[in-house]
Amino acid sequence: HGPWHVVGKDCAQDIVYVSNRYREISDQRTSLDVSAISWLAGAPPQAPGAGGELRLGVQVRHGDTSHTARVDLIPGGSEARIELDSPDKGLAPGQFAAFYDGDVCLGAGVIS
């Protein structure tokens, strides 16, 4: 009986773990790492001012739920550490996270 959700992966052994008890085993999180980020403008956005904090909208999975978040870019801009302002229970490696400035999509990457 579903629905079934991916709750873990072991890429080295080509194993995907699924469960229909997702709500019982998934913890709410406010932080995630994103890799393989592709920025539509070709480069990541700049934080406002010297030492400013980059704050963007972040949408994970499908649907209309998005979060305001602090985005800490790793030098080069293809990886980032994300701190959501509110917790999300459905974050899983392999899902995509899209970055927004208002209604404008700036890019996306893979949750690692």
Side-chain angles (χ1 to χ4, degrees), residues 1 3 5 24-27 29 32-33 41 46 54 58-59 72 77 79-81 84 86 93 97 100-102 107 110:
H1 299 253
H5 301 275
E24 296 172 31
I25 62 174
S26 181
D27 294 328
R29 298 188 324 183
L32 60 145
D33 294 318
Q46 299 297 312
L54 181 58
V58 177
Q59 183 172 348
D72 296 320
E79 298 180 27
R81 177 76 174 172
L84 304 174
S86 57
Y100 287 85
D101 182 4
V110 180

Side-chain angles (χ1 to χ4, degrees), residues 20-42:
N20 63 352
R21 297 177 51 210
Y22 176 72
R23 297 207 188 282
E24 296 172 31
I25 62 174
S26 181
D27 294 328
Q28 291 192 7
R29 298 188 324 183
T30 56
S31 63
L32 60 145
D33 294 318
V34 179
S35 59
I37 300 173
S38 177
W39 298 104
L40 297 178

Side-chain angles (χ1 to χ4, degrees), residues 1-79:
H1 299 253
W4 293 91
H5 301 275
V6 174
V7 296
K9 297 188 306 185
D10 182 340
C11 295
Q13 296 190 32
D14 291 329
I15 298 172
V16 175
Y17 298 96
V18 297
S19 174
N20 63 352
R21 297 177 51 210
Y22 176 72
R23 297 207 188 282
E24 296 172 31
I25 62 174
S26 181
D27 294 328
Q28 291 192 7
R29 298 188 324 183
T30 56
S31 63
L32 60 145
D33 294 318
V34 179
S35 59
I37 300 173
S38 177
W39 298 104
L40 297 178
Q46 299 297 312
E53 188 176 271
L54 181 58
R55 298 197 53 82
L56 298 173
V58 177
Q59 183 172 348
V60 292
R61 298 179 313 284
H62 63 283
D64 58 0
T65 301
S66 64
H67 300 275
T68 303
R70 186 182 78 226
V71 179
D72 296 320
L73 294 170
I74 307 301
S78 64
E79 298 180 27

